[in-house]
Amino acid sequence: QVQLVESGGGLVQPGGSLRLSCAASGSIFSINAMGWYRQAPGKQRELVATIFSLSRTNYADSVKGRFTISRDNDKNTVYLQMNSLKPEDTALYYCNADIRTFVLSWSREYWGQGTQVTVSS
């Protein structure tokens, strides 16, 4: 069993910053990619950023230069530093990870429950 638990969301003014965290726990053998997605009301879930096992990163064009994804492999945790936040960044942010457990010989995707980010004055 694997759990992903996000934290760090909240209400922030435009131009402000937030840092999201997502910790994976359970019977984890290895973690490949970890990432963040978001879903705004009435819109489809979209990829925000991904970080791979060798720290290669990928960002949505809308967040490049403002958001930074990082990971701590010892803690099985991924972070999303969000700067220069805009109202259009308002969404429910989900953590995603491709994890192999001790039970299965292949990896699969896991999702967190989501953390709300609201950017408003």
Side-chain angles (χ1 to χ4, degrees), residues 1-69:
Q1 188 76 5
V2 171
Q3 283 190 324
L4 299 182
V5 178
E6 302 109 330
S7 62
L11 173 64
V12 63
Q13 292 187 341
S17 298
L18 283 174
R19 188 191 193 209
L20 306 183
S21 300
C22 172
S25 62
S27 184
I28 297 171
F29 177 77
S30 63
I31 302 178
N32 301 316
M34 303 185 81
W36 291 93
Y37 288 71
R38 66 186 181 186
Q39 187 168 18
K43 295 188 176 181
Q44 289 190 329
R45 190 175 298 188
E46 63 175 359
L47 173 68
V48 176
T50 304
I51 184 166
F52 299 90
S53 57
L54 296 181
S55 297
R56 179 172 60 88
T57 58
N58 180 51
Y59 295 93
D61 287 343
S62 59
V63 306
K64 282 182 181 177
R66 300 188 298 122
F67 291 10
T68 302
I69 190 169

Side-chain angles (χ1 to χ4, degrees), residues 5 10 16 26 28 31-32 37 43 53 58 60 72 83 86 92 94 96 99 102-103 114 120-121:
V5 178
I28 297 171
I31 302 178
N32 301 316
Y37 288 71
K43 295 188 176 181
S53 57
N58 180 51
D72 184 331
N83 298 328
K86 304 175 182 180
L92 190 59
Y94 294 93
N96 169 276
I99 296 174
F102 287 102
V103 177
S120 175
S121 55

